[in-house]
Amino acid sequence: IMEILVTGGAGFIGSNFVNYIYEERPDWNITIFDKLTYASNIGSIEKLLGDRVKLIKEEQTIDFDSKITRTSLGTFVDTMLK
């Protein structure tokens, strides 16, 4: 099982990527890391949330050197996409 982390996964490009991976790779688990700003559309990924897709809402600006690294280590993510 592949574990991936997608930053901005509720945005236009990120949500399309998440939907694509969800359909094409049923053996992959997806963690979405998003600030959920005006540019996000939770409705585009809401139906996917569950066993294979998790959402982490980030309140502040994403610090790729610390927060993402801690998150990926904590969830055993194999690949991060930003």
Side-chain angles (χ1 to χ4, degrees):
I1 298 245
M2 175 74 90
E3 302 278 344
I4 66 168
L5 175 66
V6 180
T7 60
F12 179 74
I13 294 171
S15 64
N16 279 290
F17 176 77
V18 168
N19 276 281
Y20 174 79
I21 292 298
Y22 184 84
E23 293 296 325
E24 295 295 319
R25 302 290 184 169
D27 56 330
W28 288 19
N29 292 330
I30 305 164
T31 300
I32 299 168
F33 197 84
D34 202 290
K35 193 173 179 181
L36 297 178
T37 65
Y38 70 93
S40 302
N41 179 5
I42 192 74
S44 62
I45 57 166
E46 198 167 35
K47 69 179 191 299
L48 305 180
L49 297 176
D51 291 341
R52 289 184 44 219
V53 181
K54 305 283 187 241
L55 173 64
I56 299 172
K57 182 180 179 205
E58 175 56 41
E59 297 291 334
Q60 309 205 354
T61 302
I62 296 171
D63 178 353
F64 288 101
D65 294 325
S66 62
K67 186 88 172 183
I68 293 289
T69 302
R70 286 195 308 273
T71 301
S72 66
L73 292 174
T75 58
F76 304 104
V77 171
D78 296 313
T79 303
M80 294 186 292
L81 303 165
K82 60 178 181 175

